[in-house]
C-alpha cells in the first residue's frame, strides 16, 4: 500500500500554506514512547497532560513533546526535563528555555499571555531565560500518529544528529503527515515539508544569518494558512529573505478566496490574492485514512505591490 507521503510527493502537492498554526510553541521533554495524542498517551502523567491541553485551548499556544533522537526504550521518568517556549510573530519573536524536575510546574504558566507574546510567566513559573544556543530543528517522528512520520522523520533526525547538527529534537506532531518528513525551525517558527538534511541545515544556517529559507517552506506558524502562503509569495516576488521584516497586516474575505495584505518593516505593502483549491485527484491525507480526500491547498493568484496612495484602500 502506498504511503501518504509517497503519493503526495508523486502528485507534486504544494507545501506552501500548510503549516500548523501557533503564535507560541511550548515544548516539554518526554522520553519513551508516544501515542496518537501524545500529551495523554505517553508516560507523561495522564491527568497533567489533560490539564495542559485544557489550559492551552484558544490561547494561541501549541504544546508538543520532544525527545532526543535515538532509541526510545523507556528510561523511566527523567530527573530533569528540558522545556522551551517560542513566540513566532515576526518582529516580536523570542525563544526561552528552562529545565524542571516537575512538569506540573507548567500549569503555573499564563497561557493567554504566552500566546500574546508575554514570556514573564515562563520566567516566574520555571525560571526560564532567553535561549542563547544553536537554533532548534524539531523533526516530527510520531509513528503512532502516522507511520510516514516514523519511517521518514526518524532517519532524518538521526542523520542530522549524527552529522553534528546541534539543537535537533524529535517532536510529537507538526501536522501534515503527507509532507513527511516535516520540520519546525525555531526561533523563527517556519515549518518545512519533504525535508532533507541539506535543506534543514540550510534553514538553520539561515537563522544564524538572520534570513529565511523558502525552499520546501510550509509557512510561518504565526499566520493562518492564507497568510502563510501570501507571505512566502511576497518573499519570492520581492526577493526579500531577511527574517522579521514581513508581517501579515490584514486578511479579508473567507474561503475560498482571501485578500491578504503583507507589510514590510520599511513601509512597503503588497496585496496578495489567495484562493483555496482542492488537491486532485483524491489521495490519502494520512496513512490511517479510511477514505481518500481532496485536501485544501492555498493557491496564490496574484501579488501586487501597493502604491502609497493605495495603502488606505
Amino acid at each position: 500500500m502506498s504511503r501518504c507521503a509517497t503519493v503526495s510527493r508523486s502528485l507534486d502537492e504544494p507545501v506552501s500554506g500548510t503549516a500548523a498554526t501557533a503564535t507560541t510553541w511550548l515544548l516539554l521533554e518526554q522520553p519513551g514512547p508516544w501515542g496518537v495524542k501524545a500529551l495523554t498517551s505517553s508516560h507523561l502523567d495522564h491527568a497533567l497532560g489533560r490539564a495542559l491541553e485544557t489550559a492551552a485551548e484558544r490561547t494561541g499556544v501549541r504544546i508538543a513533546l520532544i525527545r532526543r533522537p535515538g532509541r526510545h526504550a523507556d528510561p523511566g521518568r527523567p530527573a530533569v526535563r528540558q522545556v522551551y517556549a517560542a513566540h513566532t510573530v515576526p518582529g516580536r519573536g523570542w525563544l526561552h528555555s528552562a529545565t524542571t524536575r516537575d512538569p506540573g510546574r507548567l500549569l503555573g504558566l499564563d497561557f493567554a499571555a504566552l500566546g500574546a507574546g508575554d514570556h514573564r510567566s515562563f520566567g516566574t513559573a520555571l525560571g526560564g531565560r532567553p535561549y542563547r544556543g544553536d537554533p532548534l530543528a524539531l523533526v516530527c517522528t510520531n509513528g503512532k500518529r502516522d507511520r510516514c512520520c516514523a519511517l521518514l522523520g526518524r532517519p532524518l533526525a538521526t542523520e542530522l544528529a549524527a552529522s553534528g547538527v546541534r539543537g535537533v529534537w524529535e517532536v510529537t506532531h507538526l501536522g501534515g503527515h503527507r509532507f513527511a518528513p516535516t520540520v519546525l525551525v525555531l526561533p523563527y517558527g517556519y515549518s518545512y515539508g519533504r525535508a532533507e538534511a541539506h535543506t534543514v541545515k540550510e534553514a538553520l544556517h539561515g537563522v544564524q544569518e538572520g534570513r529565511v529559507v523558502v525552499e520546501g517552506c510550509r509557512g510561518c506558524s504565526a499566520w493562518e494558512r492564507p497568510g502563510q502562503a501570501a507571505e512566502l509569495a511576497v518573499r519570492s516576488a520581492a526577493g526579500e529573505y531577511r527574517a522579521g521584516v514581513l508581517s501579515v497586516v490584514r486578511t479579508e474575505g473567507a474561503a475560498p478566496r482571501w485578500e491578504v495584505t503583507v507589510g514590510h518593516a520599511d513601509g512597503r505593502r503588497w496585496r496578495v490574492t489567495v484562493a483555496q483549491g482542492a488537491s486532485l485527484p483524491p489521495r490519502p491525507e494520512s496513512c490511517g485514512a479510511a477514505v481518500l480526500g481532496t485536501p485544501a491547498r492555498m493557491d496564490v493568484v496574484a501579488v501586487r505591490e501597493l502604491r502609497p496612495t493605495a495603502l488606505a484602500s
Side-chain angles (χ1 to χ4, degrees):
M1 180 179 179
S2 296
R3 300 195 301 264
C4 66
T6 304
V7 175
S8 177
R9 184 187 290 267
S10 69
L11 295 174
D12 199 25
E13 182 180 352
V15 301
S16 176
T18 67
T21 56
T23 53
T24 301
W25 292 83
L26 179 62
L27 308 168
L28 171 65
E29 184 178 3
Q30 176 59 56
W34 298 331
V36 175
K37 293 187 176 181
L39 280 178
T40 54
S41 54
S42 68
H43 289 179
L44 182 69
D45 179 78
H46 183 271
L48 173 60
R50 287 290 301 273
L52 288 171
E53 285 181 339
T54 299
E57 286 179 357
R58 295 183 294 277
T59 63
V61 177
R62 190 178 180 104
I63 307 175
L65 302 182
I66 57 175
R67 63 191 178 196
R68 293 292 186 183
R71 296 177 61 85
H72 299 136
D74 186 10
R77 295 184 178 181
V80 178
R81 301 169 190 255
Q82 182 68 51
V83 188
Y84 296 104
H87 188 61
T88 63
V89 176
R92 299 193 288 116
W94 46 259
L95 173 59
H96 286 208
S97 67
T99 57
T100 184
R101 295 177 180 273
D102 177 14
R105 292 175 63 189
L106 272 67
L107 292 176
L109 295 171
D110 184 335
F111 284 85
L114 280 177
D118 183 345
H119 53 70
R120 286 177 294 181
S121 72
F122 192 75
T124 302
L126 296 167
R129 296 177 178 273
Y131 175 72
R132 304 299 186 193
D134 292 298
L136 304 183
L138 306 164
V139 185
C140 185
T141 63
N142 190 354
K144 290 295 177 67
R145 188 112 188 176
D146 190 281
R147 63 175 178 158
C148 281
C149 297
L151 292 172
L152 301 174
R154 289 189 64 186
L156 175 62
T158 300
E159 178 184 356
L160 289 169
S163 67
V165 178
R166 299 176 180 177
V168 179
W169 293 86
E170 297 186 10
V171 68
T172 47
H173 186 49
L174 297 177
H177 322 293
R178 64 191 183 279
F179 302 120
T182 60
V183 180
L184 173 68
V185 172
L186 294 176
Y188 290 165
Y190 285 84
S191 291
Y192 294 83
R194 304 187 188 116
E196 298 180 5
H198 73 89
T199 305
V200 178
K201 291 177 181 179
E202 178 63 19
L204 294 173
H205 185 59
V207 172
Q208 295 172 325
E209 294 185 339
R211 61 182 173 85
V212 174
V213 171
V214 300
E215 178 190 354
C217 191
R218 301 174 63 193
C220 177
S221 73
W223 315 127
E224 296 296 328
R225 291 181 177 181
Q228 294 172 11
E231 187 230 14
L232 290 176
V234 169
R235 286 194 177 280
S236 296
E240 177 56 88
Y241 303 110
R242 287 176 294 171
V245 299
L246 293 181
S247 295
V248 175
V249 177
R250 183 169 60 251
T251 300
E252 300 170 296
R257 195 175 184 89
W258 299 267
E259 295 292 333
V260 182
T261 303
V262 176
H264 195 290
D266 65 11
R268 285 180 291 165
R269 296 287 187 272
W270 292 262
R271 187 156 294 160
V272 185
T273 303
V274 180
Q276 179 177 297
S279 297
L280 296 171
R283 77 284 310 274
E285 295 189 53
S286 67
C287 289
V291 296
L292 300 181
T294 54
R297 52 186 284 171
M298 296 291 122
D299 294 320
V300 173
V301 177
V303 178
R304 179 168 62 94
E305 185 170 357
L306 299 176
R307 296 180 180 277
T309 55
L311 293 179
S313 64

